[in-house]
Amino acid sequence: MGELGRPAYLRLADLLRSRILSGEHQPGGRMPSIADLCRQHGLSEQPVRQALRVLNAEGLTEGRPGSGTYVRRRPAPARIPRGRYDAAGSPFAGASRDPGPGGVPHWTHDSQKTWATGALALRLRIAEGDPIMQTQYVFLAADRPAQLSTSWEPLALTGGTAAARPEYGPLAGLGVVERMARIGLTVTRVTEDVTARPVLEAESGPLDVALGSTVLSIERTHWAGSLPVETADIVLAAERSRLVYEIGVPAEITPESDVLR
Amino acid sequence: MGELGRPAYLRLADLLRSRILSGEHQPGGRMPSIADLCRQHGLSEQPVRQALRVLNAEGLTEGRPGSGTYVRRRPAPARIPRGRYDAAGSPFAGASRDPGPGGVPHWTHDSQKTWATGALALRLRIAEGDPIMQTQYVFLAADRPAQLSTSWEPLALTGGTAAARPEYGPLAGLGVVERMARIGLTVTRVTEDVTARPVLEAESGPLDVALGSTVLSIERTHWAGSLPVETADIVLAAERSRLVYEIGVPAEITPESDVLR
DNA sequence: TCGAATTTGTGCGTATGTATC
DNA sequence: GGATACATACGCACAAATTCG
């Protein structure tokens, strides 16, 4: 019954969206119930539900079981500084700088020894099957899961030293650069490869995001010259994150003579 | 009928996903049809469709009407270097470095004078209504749209100089840092704020991506000290892009004395 | 070249169970 | 208990694209 080309649930979604954006439905306010919308627009449950699902997926509304559908208040995404290397650099140095309201940020971790598989071996430039230390982090800010991270370090470098387990012993919580420095490895640069992709099912629970939504994925590697000493996968909810990179401009590029003007 | 806690469509999705990841279904290959899956698993259409929808949303598969559901082959996303500032820095210096197969990268541009609105005025630290030069770029690589960009510069800085229009005159194609240097403004740093969001309707055509998909959005600002001299919005298809940032580690952090070992 | 069968996508009415308020 | 919302599942119809005889 394509009355007007555009399907019923999309027309309803358009209508409700424009009402929300125009302020007719205030942030935090309740939308009409599904039954109400059925009556008001002469539709059955299914198209009404689909319309609401569209708005939920767009992040405009949020359904609370047993209560109603509410217009979302949109917190500005957290700024997560990632440029400039920071001496206090724990894995979450940047993000933990600002406690924000609702609680001091903290994290849990879990290290275990494993062996490098294909892709990982490539990233660390070691052979497949070489032993590595794997550490998983769940980072919480304001009592909400903010960031997942899995870090790998070749045990050929750290094995037998105090730096073998990132979060144990005298070097716990020091950050990769400092910890490596203590065992004689000078980290000279860090690379971060940023991509966005749909959230995996395994991540959607810990990150507290819906299954269809997208995450920012950072593939980070610490280098000592051309030798990778650590690499990590960092995953953040895209809706809540804004990565801030700062890029220095070498002085050579800026000539002292003003040619024009 | 919650036979095993986990709903039928998720169990089926898990099964199919593991088959794909294990290589049982090859990239480019066809999945069993919906009718087949119904028969094989004793399910009705609905849960089977939902399972496939999950895999589609995860980007693992792709349905082609009239033909079937296929395992996606994932072309490696283009590496787009954005760290280190590059002397040859046109707006697309990084991306244009490597011609790649299929054609030399090139771009189109279009400049026009406008006036700063609220958010833009804040980013450029000028007053609302101040005149600015707006330049829009469409960047093509291998004859495919790769990147959209809109750049703004306060005319209070560049007005009346040869640098007023980025792509005209003797300074055309020079890049922001070089161009500003020619009129006596020394760019000292560049900041990039990276977010991911659903593609806008206006972008989906020029970028050649489907309407539901997501883009990487970069808000870039060139600074001369604490003075913004240029800011730009850069938009790329997330599936095809991988931003590479390189972060230098200052030497101070790395002590010369090896304490342990 | 034509047409029928297959296949996915979309829309929608319905029903059942469960959690929350 | 009642209202509400959510998740799951079944059935049906049609559109659009593709495949194949």
Side-chain angles (χ1 to χ4, degrees), chain A residues 79 245-247 249 254, chain B residues 122-125 176-177 180 185-193 219-231:
Chain A
R79 288 171 51 88
Y245 287 92
E246 184 161 332
I247 303 158
V249 177
T254 63
Chain B
L122 269 177
R123 275 167 68 177
L124 287 172
R125 304 220 180 147
V176 178
V177 174
M180 292 296 170
L185 288 168
T186 304
V187 172
T188 51
R189 60 189 235 279
V190 182
T191 57
E192 299 202 345
D193 286 21
E219 221 176 281
R220 181 194 61 189
T221 305
H222 283 82
W223 302 81
S226 58
L227 176 75
V229 298
E230 186 258 8
T231 193

PDB file of all heavy atoms in Angstrom, chain A residues 79 245-247 249 254, chain B residues 122-125 176-177 180 185-193 219-231:
ATOM      1  N   ARG A  79      36.286  14.933  24.442  1.00  0.00           N
ATOM      2  CA  ARG A  79      37.498  15.196  23.670  1.00  0.00           C
ATOM      3  C   ARG A  79      38.613  14.314  24.207  1.00  0.00           C
ATOM      4  O   ARG A  79      38.914  14.338  25.397  1.00  0.00           O
ATOM      5  CB  ARG A  79      37.907  16.655  23.816  1.00  0.00           C
ATOM      6  CG  ARG A  79      37.004  17.639  23.081  1.00  0.00           C
ATOM      7  CD  ARG A  79      37.366  19.052  23.478  1.00  0.00           C
ATOM      8  NE  ARG A  79      38.801  19.289  23.337  1.00  0.00           N
ATOM      9  CZ  ARG A  79      39.367  19.708  22.215  1.00  0.00           C
ATOM     10  NH1 ARG A  79      38.614  19.933  21.161  1.00  0.00           N
ATOM     11  NH2 ARG A  79      40.650  19.896  22.142  1.00  0.00           N
ATOM     12  N   TYR A 245      44.073  15.245  17.638  1.00  0.00           N
ATOM     13  CA  TYR A 245      45.486  15.092  17.299  1.00  0.00           C
ATOM     14  C   TYR A 245      46.109  16.455  17.102  1.00  0.00           C
ATOM     15  O   TYR A 245      45.495  17.363  16.541  1.00  0.00           O
ATOM     16  CB  TYR A 245      45.651  14.263  16.023  1.00  0.00           C
ATOM     17  CG  TYR A 245      45.356  12.804  16.234  1.00  0.00           C
ATOM     18  CD1 TYR A 245      44.079  12.304  16.015  1.00  0.00           C
ATOM     19  CD2 TYR A 245      46.342  11.947  16.673  1.00  0.00           C
ATOM     20  CE1 TYR A 245      43.802  10.964  16.219  1.00  0.00           C
ATOM     21  CE2 TYR A 245      46.074  10.605  16.880  1.00  0.00           C
ATOM     22  CZ  TYR A 245      44.806  10.119  16.651  1.00  0.00           C
ATOM     23  OH  TYR A 245      44.534   8.802  16.863  1.00  0.00           O
ATOM     24  N   GLU A 246      47.324  16.580  17.575  1.00  0.00           N
ATOM     25  CA  GLU A 246      48.039  17.834  17.380  1.00  0.00           C
ATOM     26  C   GLU A 246      49.294  17.550  16.582  1.00  0.00           C
ATOM     27  O   GLU A 246      50.069  16.660  16.923  1.00  0.00           O
ATOM     28  CB  GLU A 246      48.402  18.447  18.733  1.00  0.00           C
ATOM     29  CG  GLU A 246      49.066  19.784  18.593  1.00  0.00           C
ATOM     30  CD  GLU A 246      48.975  20.560  19.909  1.00  0.00           C
ATOM     31  OE1 GLU A 246      48.032  20.331  20.678  1.00  0.00           O
ATOM     32  OE2 GLU A 246      49.862  21.378  20.139  1.00  0.00           O
ATOM     33  N   ILE A 247      49.466  18.275  15.510  1.00  0.00           N
ATOM     34  CA  ILE A 247      50.569  18.026  14.597  1.00  0.00           C
ATOM     35  C   ILE A 247      51.464  19.245  14.584  1.00  0.00           C
ATOM     36  O   ILE A 247      51.034  20.342  14.250  1.00  0.00           O
ATOM     37  CB  ILE A 247      50.032  17.763  13.173  1.00  0.00           C
ATOM     38  CG1 ILE A 247      49.046  16.592  13.199  1.00  0.00           C
ATOM     39  CG2 ILE A 247      51.166  17.510  12.205  1.00  0.00           C
ATOM     40  CD1 ILE A 247      48.090  16.573  12.034  1.00  0.00           C
ATOM     41  N   VAL A 249      54.410  21.699  13.278  1.00  0.00           N
ATOM     42  CA  VAL A 249      54.922  22.068  11.972  1.00  0.00           C
ATOM     43  C   VAL A 249      56.395  22.403  12.130  1.00  0.00           C
ATOM     44  O   VAL A 249      56.750  23.293  12.879  1.00  0.00           O
ATOM     45  CB  VAL A 249      54.177  23.282  11.396  1.00  0.00           C
ATOM     46  CG1 VAL A 249      54.773  23.683  10.066  1.00  0.00           C
ATOM     47  CG2 VAL A 249      52.707  22.963  11.256  1.00  0.00           C
ATOM     48  N   THR A 254      58.648  27.208   7.373  1.00  0.00           N
ATOM     49  CA  THR A 254      58.212  28.586   7.457  1.00  0.00           C
ATOM     50  C   THR A 254      59.393  29.521   7.234  1.00  0.00           C
ATOM     51  O   THR A 254      60.158  29.806   8.138  1.00  0.00           O
ATOM     52  CB  THR A 254      57.624  28.858   8.843  1.00  0.00           C
ATOM     53  OG1 THR A 254      58.663  28.664   9.811  1.00  0.00           O
ATOM     54  CG2 THR A 254      56.509  27.888   9.143  1.00  0.00           C
TER      55      THR A 254
ATOM     56  N   LEU B 122      33.319  30.648  16.085  1.00  0.00           N
ATOM     57  CA  LEU B 122      34.002  30.146  17.275  1.00  0.00           C
ATOM     58  C   LEU B 122      35.302  29.447  16.894  1.00  0.00           C
ATOM     59  O   LEU B 122      36.342  29.663  17.530  1.00  0.00           O
ATOM     60  CB  LEU B 122      33.109  29.164  18.019  1.00  0.00           C
ATOM     61  CG  LEU B 122      32.209  29.757  19.104  1.00  0.00           C
ATOM     62  CD1 LEU B 122      31.321  28.669  19.709  1.00  0.00           C
ATOM     63  CD2 LEU B 122      33.068  30.413  20.181  1.00  0.00           C
ATOM     64  N   ARG B 123      35.236  28.611  15.872  1.00  0.00           N
ATOM     65  CA  ARG B 123      36.432  27.863  15.481  1.00  0.00           C
ATOM     66  C   ARG B 123      37.536  28.779  14.999  1.00  0.00           C
ATOM     67  O   ARG B 123      38.722  28.530  15.240  1.00  0.00           O
ATOM     68  CB  ARG B 123      36.082  26.865  14.379  1.00  0.00           C
ATOM     69  CG  ARG B 123      35.542  25.557  14.909  1.00  0.00           C
ATOM     70  CD  ARG B 123      34.919  24.712  13.832  1.00  0.00           C
ATOM     71  NE  ARG B 123      35.884  24.210  12.861  1.00  0.00           N
ATOM     72  CZ  ARG B 123      35.546  23.395  11.857  1.00  0.00           C
ATOM     73  NH1 ARG B 123      34.290  23.007  11.718  1.00  0.00           N
ATOM     74  NH2 ARG B 123      36.454  22.975  11.009  1.00  0.00           N
ATOM     75  N   LEU B 124      37.182  29.845  14.309  1.00  0.00           N
ATOM     76  CA  LEU B 124      38.189  30.759  13.776  1.00  0.00           C
ATOM     77  C   LEU B 124      38.488  31.904  14.746  1.00  0.00           C
ATOM     78  O   LEU B 124      39.320  32.772  14.471  1.00  0.00           O
ATOM     79  CB  LEU B 124      37.720  31.319  12.422  1.00  0.00           C
ATOM     80  CG  LEU B 124      37.772  30.337  11.250  1.00  0.00           C
ATOM     81  CD1 LEU B 124      37.103  30.914  10.019  1.00  0.00           C
ATOM     82  CD2 LEU B 124      39.217  29.963  10.940  1.00  0.00           C
ATOM     83  N   ARG B 125      37.759  31.907  15.872  1.00  0.00           N
ATOM     84  CA  ARG B 125      37.915  32.974  16.871  1.00  0.00           C
ATOM     85  C   ARG B 125      37.738  34.361  16.261  1.00  0.00           C
ATOM     86  O   ARG B 125      38.552  35.269  16.465  1.00  0.00           O
ATOM     87  CB  ARG B 125      39.301  32.881  17.544  1.00  0.00           C
ATOM     88  CG  ARG B 125      39.526  31.516  18.150  1.00  0.00           C
ATOM     89  CD  ARG B 125      40.208  31.595  19.481  1.00  0.00           C
ATOM     90  NE  ARG B 125      40.410  30.261  20.032  1.00  0.00           N
ATOM     91  CZ  ARG B 125      41.431  29.893  20.782  1.00  0.00           C
ATOM     92  NH1 ARG B 125      42.361  30.771  21.108  1.00  0.00           N
ATOM     93  NH2 ARG B 125      41.509  28.672  21.261  1.00  0.00           N
ATOM     94  N   VAL B 176      48.346  25.302   2.940  1.00  0.00           N
ATOM     95  CA  VAL B 176      48.045  26.391   3.868  1.00  0.00           C
ATOM     96  C   VAL B 176      49.309  26.973   4.494  1.00  0.00           C
ATOM     97  O   VAL B 176      49.504  28.188   4.525  1.00  0.00           O
ATOM     98  CB  VAL B 176      47.088  25.897   4.973  1.00  0.00           C
ATOM     99  CG1 VAL B 176      46.825  27.014   5.966  1.00  0.00           C
ATOM    100  CG2 VAL B 176      45.790  25.395   4.364  1.00  0.00           C
ATOM    101  N   VAL B 177      50.194  26.103   4.975  1.00  0.00           N
ATOM    102  CA  VAL B 177      51.371  26.579   5.703  1.00  0.00           C
ATOM    103  C   VAL B 177      52.226  27.480   4.822  1.00  0.00           C
ATOM    104  O   VAL B 177      52.572  28.606   5.195  1.00  0.00           O
ATOM    105  CB  VAL B 177      52.204  25.387   6.216  1.00  0.00           C
ATOM    106  CG1 VAL B 177      53.502  25.877   6.831  1.00  0.00           C
ATOM    107  CG2 VAL B 177      51.398  24.582   7.216  1.00  0.00           C
ATOM    108  N   MET B 180      50.382  30.803   3.841  1.00  0.00           N
ATOM    109  CA  MET B 180      50.327  31.766   4.933  1.00  0.00           C
ATOM    110  C   MET B 180      51.708  32.353   5.199  1.00  0.00           C
ATOM    111  O   MET B 180      51.850  33.526   5.523  1.00  0.00           O
ATOM    112  CB  MET B 180      49.781  31.093   6.200  1.00  0.00           C
ATOM    113  CG  MET B 180      48.324  30.696   6.093  1.00  0.00           C
ATOM    114  SD  MET B 180      47.233  32.135   5.891  1.00  0.00           S
ATOM    115  CE  MET B 180      45.677  31.327   5.482  1.00  0.00           C
ATOM    116  N   LEU B 185      52.506  35.003   7.920  1.00  0.00           N
ATOM    117  CA  LEU B 185      51.890  34.275   9.034  1.00  0.00           C
ATOM    118  C   LEU B 185      52.570  32.915   9.186  1.00  0.00           C
ATOM    119  O   LEU B 185      52.574  32.106   8.269  1.00  0.00           O
ATOM    120  CB  LEU B 185      50.389  34.078   8.778  1.00  0.00           C
ATOM    121  CG  LEU B 185      49.519  35.334   8.902  1.00  0.00           C
ATOM    122  CD1 LEU B 185      48.128  35.081   8.343  1.00  0.00           C
ATOM    123  CD2 LEU B 185      49.450  35.768  10.355  1.00  0.00           C
ATOM    124  N   THR B 186      53.142  32.670  10.347  1.00  0.00           N
ATOM    125  CA  THR B 186      53.856  31.430  10.580  1.00  0.00           C
ATOM    126  C   THR B 186      52.945  30.414  11.260  1.00  0.00           C
ATOM    127  O   THR B 186      52.575  30.576  12.422  1.00  0.00           O
ATOM    128  CB  THR B 186      55.088  31.680  11.471  1.00  0.00           C
ATOM    129  OG1 THR B 186      55.902  32.669  10.842  1.00  0.00           O
ATOM    130  CG2 THR B 186      55.873  30.394  11.651  1.00  0.00           C
ATOM    131  N   VAL B 187      52.583  29.382  10.529  1.00  0.00           N
ATOM    132  CA  VAL B 187      51.763  28.320  11.115  1.00  0.00           C
ATOM    133  C   VAL B 187      52.646  27.469  12.009  1.00  0.00           C
ATOM    134  O   VAL B 187      53.667  26.938  11.572  1.00  0.00           O
ATOM    135  CB  VAL B 187      51.120  27.455  10.026  1.00  0.00           C
ATOM    136  CG1 VAL B 187      50.431  26.251  10.642  1.00  0.00           C
ATOM    137  CG2 VAL B 187      50.133  28.270   9.212  1.00  0.00           C
ATOM    138  N   THR B 188      52.276  27.347  13.256  1.00  0.00           N
ATOM    139  CA  THR B 188      53.108  26.606  14.197  1.00  0.00           C
ATOM    140  C   THR B 188      52.567  25.223  14.496  1.00  0.00           C
ATOM    141  O   THR B 188      53.298  24.328  14.876  1.00  0.00           O
ATOM    142  CB  THR B 188      53.238  27.372  15.520  1.00  0.00           C
ATOM    143  OG1 THR B 188      51.927  27.735  15.964  1.00  0.00           O
ATOM    144  CG2 THR B 188      54.048  28.630  15.323  1.00  0.00           C
ATOM    145  N   ARG B 189      51.267  25.058  14.385  1.00  0.00           N
ATOM    146  CA  ARG B 189      50.730  23.724  14.618  1.00  0.00           C
ATOM    147  C   ARG B 189      49.394  23.533  13.935  1.00  0.00           C
ATOM    148  O   ARG B 189      48.744  24.495  13.528  1.00  0.00           O
ATOM    149  CB  ARG B 189      50.606  23.447  16.119  1.00  0.00           C
ATOM    150  CG  ARG B 189      49.701  24.396  16.835  1.00  0.00           C
ATOM    151  CD  ARG B 189      49.837  24.171  18.338  1.00  0.00           C
ATOM    152  NE  ARG B 189      48.542  23.900  18.936  1.00  0.00           N
ATOM    153  CZ  ARG B 189      47.665  24.865  19.258  1.00  0.00           C
ATOM    154  NH1 ARG B 189      47.957  26.122  19.030  1.00  0.00           N
ATOM    155  NH2 ARG B 189      46.516  24.552  19.789  1.00  0.00           N
ATOM    156  N   VAL B 190      49.028  22.282  13.785  1.00  0.00           N
ATOM    157  CA  VAL B 190      47.764  21.914  13.163  1.00  0.00           C
ATOM    158  C   VAL B 190      47.048  20.970  14.124  1.00  0.00           C
ATOM    159  O   VAL B 190      47.675  20.066  14.672  1.00  0.00           O
ATOM    160  CB  VAL B 190      48.006  21.197  11.818  1.00  0.00           C
ATOM    161  CG1 VAL B 190      46.690  20.848  11.149  1.00  0.00           C
ATOM    162  CG2 VAL B 190      48.874  22.050  10.906  1.00  0.00           C
ATOM    163  N   THR B 191      45.775  21.205  14.365  1.00  0.00           N
ATOM    164  CA  THR B 191      45.016  20.262  15.184  1.00  0.00           C
ATOM    165  C   THR B 191      43.974  19.580  14.305  1.00  0.00           C
ATOM    166  O   THR B 191      43.420  20.184  13.393  1.00  0.00           O
ATOM    167  CB  THR B 191      44.313  20.957  16.360  1.00  0.00           C
ATOM    168  OG1 THR B 191      43.473  21.991  15.848  1.00  0.00           O
ATOM    169  CG2 THR B 191      45.310  21.555  17.317  1.00  0.00           C
ATOM    170  N   GLU B 192      43.749  18.319  14.588  1.00  0.00           N
ATOM    171  CA  GLU B 192      42.707  17.584  13.881  1.00  0.00           C
ATOM    172  C   GLU B 192      41.832  16.865  14.887  1.00  0.00           C
ATOM    173  O   GLU B 192      42.311  16.079  15.693  1.00  0.00           O
ATOM    174  CB  GLU B 192      43.338  16.580  12.901  1.00  0.00           C
ATOM    175  CG  GLU B 192      44.198  17.253  11.846  1.00  0.00           C
ATOM    176  CD  GLU B 192      44.372  16.400  10.597  1.00  0.00           C
ATOM    177  OE1 GLU B 192      44.082  15.198  10.661  1.00  0.00           O
ATOM    178  OE2 GLU B 192      44.800  16.963   9.564  1.00  0.00           O
ATOM    179  N   ASP B 193      40.534  17.152  14.838  1.00  0.00           N
ATOM    180  CA  ASP B 193      39.559  16.454  15.673  1.00  0.00           C
ATOM    181  C   ASP B 193      38.855  15.421  14.815  1.00  0.00           C
ATOM    182  O   ASP B 193      38.203  15.767  13.835  1.00  0.00           O
ATOM    183  CB  ASP B 193      38.519  17.435  16.240  1.00  0.00           C
ATOM    184  CG  ASP B 193      39.094  18.293  17.349  1.00  0.00           C
ATOM    185  OD1 ASP B 193      40.326  18.428  17.401  1.00  0.00           O
ATOM    186  OD2 ASP B 193      38.300  18.817  18.150  1.00  0.00           O
ATOM    187  N   GLU B 219      37.959  17.651  11.686  1.00  0.00           N
ATOM    188  CA  GLU B 219      37.877  19.096  11.828  1.00  0.00           C
ATOM    189  C   GLU B 219      39.303  19.576  12.022  1.00  0.00           C
ATOM    190  O   GLU B 219      39.897  19.364  13.072  1.00  0.00           O
ATOM    191  CB  GLU B 219      37.024  19.420  13.065  1.00  0.00           C
ATOM    192  CG  GLU B 219      36.077  20.562  12.905  1.00  0.00           C
ATOM    193  CD  GLU B 219      35.231  20.709  14.164  1.00  0.00           C
ATOM    194  OE1 GLU B 219      34.265  19.929  14.306  1.00  0.00           O
ATOM    195  OE2 GLU B 219      35.546  21.566  15.008  1.00  0.00           O
ATOM    196  N   ARG B 220      39.854  20.192  10.990  1.00  0.00           N
ATOM    197  CA  ARG B 220      41.269  20.567  11.025  1.00  0.00           C
ATOM    198  C   ARG B 220      41.415  22.069  11.183  1.00  0.00           C
ATOM    199  O   ARG B 220      40.698  22.845  10.557  1.00  0.00           O
ATOM    200  CB  ARG B 220      41.957  20.127   9.736  1.00  0.00           C
ATOM    201  CG  ARG B 220      43.443  20.442   9.688  1.00  0.00           C
ATOM    202  CD  ARG B 220      43.972  20.306   8.275  1.00  0.00           C
ATOM    203  NE  ARG B 220      43.302  21.250   7.380  1.00  0.00           N
ATOM    204  CZ  ARG B 220      43.435  21.237   6.061  1.00  0.00           C
ATOM    205  NH1 ARG B 220      44.186  20.319   5.474  1.00  0.00           N
ATOM    206  NH2 ARG B 220      42.810  22.121   5.317  1.00  0.00           N
ATOM    207  N   THR B 221      42.358  22.488  12.022  1.00  0.00           N
ATOM    208  CA  THR B 221      42.631  23.914  12.156  1.00  0.00           C
ATOM    209  C   THR B 221      44.131  24.172  12.084  1.00  0.00           C
ATOM    210  O   THR B 221      44.912  23.470  12.722  1.00  0.00           O
ATOM    211  CB  THR B 221      42.071  24.464  13.484  1.00  0.00           C
ATOM    212  OG1 THR B 221      40.683  24.160  13.563  1.00  0.00           O
ATOM    213  CG2 THR B 221      42.253  25.969  13.574  1.00  0.00           C
ATOM    214  N   HIS B 222      44.512  25.151  11.272  1.00  0.00           N
ATOM    215  CA  HIS B 222      45.894  25.614  11.234  1.00  0.00           C
ATOM    216  C   HIS B 222      46.023  26.808  12.165  1.00  0.00           C
ATOM    217  O   HIS B 222      45.245  27.749  12.087  1.00  0.00           O
ATOM    218  CB  HIS B 222      46.284  26.045   9.811  1.00  0.00           C
ATOM    219  CG  HIS B 222      46.569  24.903   8.888  1.00  0.00           C
ATOM    220  ND1 HIS B 222      45.583  24.204   8.248  1.00  0.00           N
ATOM    221  CD2 HIS B 222      47.754  24.339   8.495  1.00  0.00           C
ATOM    222  CE1 HIS B 222      46.131  23.257   7.487  1.00  0.00           C
ATOM    223  NE2 HIS B 222      47.443  23.317   7.621  1.00  0.00           N
ATOM    224  N   TRP B 223      47.023  26.769  13.041  1.00  0.00           N
ATOM    225  CA  TRP B 223      47.202  27.822  14.034  1.00  0.00           C
ATOM    226  C   TRP B 223      48.513  28.559  13.819  1.00  0.00           C
ATOM    227  O   TRP B 223      49.548  27.931  13.577  1.00  0.00           O
ATOM    228  CB  TRP B 223      47.244  27.227  15.441  1.00  0.00           C
ATOM    229  CG  TRP B 223      46.031  26.444  15.830  1.00  0.00           C
ATOM    230  CD1 TRP B 223      45.755  25.148  15.498  1.00  0.00           C
ATOM    231  CD2 TRP B 223      44.935  26.901  16.637  1.00  0.00           C
ATOM    232  NE1 TRP B 223      44.550  24.777  16.047  1.00  0.00           N
ATOM    233  CE2 TRP B 223      44.030  25.820  16.749  1.00  0.00           C
ATOM    234  CE3 TRP B 223      44.638  28.111  17.268  1.00  0.00           C
ATOM    235  CZ2 TRP B 223      42.845  25.922  17.478  1.00  0.00           C
ATOM    236  CZ3 TRP B 223      43.466  28.206  17.994  1.00  0.00           C
ATOM    237  CH2 TRP B 223      42.576  27.123  18.089  1.00  0.00           C
ATOM    238  N   ALA B 224      48.486  29.868  13.944  1.00  0.00           N
ATOM    239  CA  ALA B 224      49.711  30.658  14.063  1.00  0.00           C
ATOM    240  C   ALA B 224      49.755  31.110  15.511  1.00  0.00           C
ATOM    241  O   ALA B 224      49.098  32.079  15.889  1.00  0.00           O
ATOM    242  CB  ALA B 224      49.684  31.845  13.115  1.00  0.00           C
ATOM    243  N   GLY B 225      50.485  30.353  16.313  1.00  0.00           N
ATOM    244  CA  GLY B 225      50.406  30.594  17.755  1.00  0.00           C
ATOM    245  C   GLY B 225      49.017  30.236  18.232  1.00  0.00           C
ATOM    246  O   GLY B 225      48.564  29.108  18.073  1.00  0.00           O
ATOM    247  N   SER B 226      48.329  31.206  18.820  1.00  0.00           N
ATOM    248  CA  SER B 226      46.978  30.924  19.308  1.00  0.00           C
ATOM    249  C   SER B 226      45.926  31.514  18.365  1.00  0.00           C
ATOM    250  O   SER B 226      44.759  31.610  18.717  1.00  0.00           O
ATOM    251  CB  SER B 226      46.805  31.501  20.712  1.00  0.00           C
ATOM    252  OG  SER B 226      47.048  32.895  20.672  1.00  0.00           O
ATOM    253  N   LEU B 227      46.373  31.863  17.168  1.00  0.00           N
ATOM    254  CA  LEU B 227      45.469  32.471  16.186  1.00  0.00           C
ATOM    255  C   LEU B 227      45.113  31.480  15.084  1.00  0.00           C
ATOM    256  O   LEU B 227      45.989  31.044  14.344  1.00  0.00           O
ATOM    257  CB  LEU B 227      46.155  33.702  15.560  1.00  0.00           C
ATOM    258  CG  LEU B 227      45.396  34.409  14.429  1.00  0.00           C
ATOM    259  CD1 LEU B 227      44.242  35.231  15.000  1.00  0.00           C
ATOM    260  CD2 LEU B 227      46.336  35.275  13.607  1.00  0.00           C
ATOM    261  N   PRO B 228      43.860  31.115  14.965  1.00  0.00           N
ATOM    262  CA  PRO B 228      43.479  30.210  13.873  1.00  0.00           C
ATOM    263  C   PRO B 228      43.562  30.953  12.549  1.00  0.00           C
ATOM    264  O   PRO B 228      42.998  32.039  12.420  1.00  0.00           O
ATOM    265  CB  PRO B 228      42.015  29.851  14.169  1.00  0.00           C
ATOM    266  CG  PRO B 228      41.751  30.328  15.559  1.00  0.00           C
ATOM    267  CD  PRO B 228      42.701  31.465  15.803  1.00  0.00           C
ATOM    268  N   VAL B 229      44.279  30.381  11.594  1.00  0.00           N
ATOM    269  CA  VAL B 229      44.389  31.038  10.297  1.00  0.00           C
ATOM    270  C   VAL B 229      43.577  30.311   9.227  1.00  0.00           C
ATOM    271  O   VAL B 229      43.293  30.856   8.173  1.00  0.00           O
ATOM    272  CB  VAL B 229      45.857  31.156   9.835  1.00  0.00           C
ATOM    273  CG1 VAL B 229      46.642  32.014  10.810  1.00  0.00           C
ATOM    274  CG2 VAL B 229      46.496  29.790   9.691  1.00  0.00           C
ATOM    275  N   GLU B 230      43.212  29.091   9.515  1.00  0.00           N
ATOM    276  CA  GLU B 230      42.385  28.323   8.578  1.00  0.00           C
ATOM    277  C   GLU B 230      41.741  27.188   9.331  1.00  0.00           C
ATOM    278  O   GLU B 230      42.319  26.628  10.259  1.00  0.00           O
ATOM    279  CB  GLU B 230      43.247  27.749   7.442  1.00  0.00           C
ATOM    280  CG  GLU B 230      42.463  27.069   6.338  1.00  0.00           C
ATOM    281  CD  GLU B 230      42.476  25.539   6.406  1.00  0.00           C
ATOM    282  OE1 GLU B 230      42.971  24.966   7.402  1.00  0.00           O
ATOM    283  OE2 GLU B 230      41.965  24.932   5.463  1.00  0.00           O
ATOM    284  N   THR B 231      40.522  26.840   8.938  1.00  0.00           N
ATOM    285  CA  THR B 231      39.902  25.637   9.490  1.00  0.00           C
ATOM    286  C   THR B 231      39.148  24.947   8.370  1.00  0.00           C
ATOM    287  O   THR B 231      38.729  25.598   7.405  1.00  0.00           O
ATOM    288  CB  THR B 231      38.985  25.975  10.692  1.00  0.00           C
ATOM    289  OG1 THR B 231      38.651  24.764  11.371  1.00  0.00           O
ATOM    290  CG2 THR B 231      37.707  26.656  10.231  1.00  0.00           C
TER     291      THR B 231
END
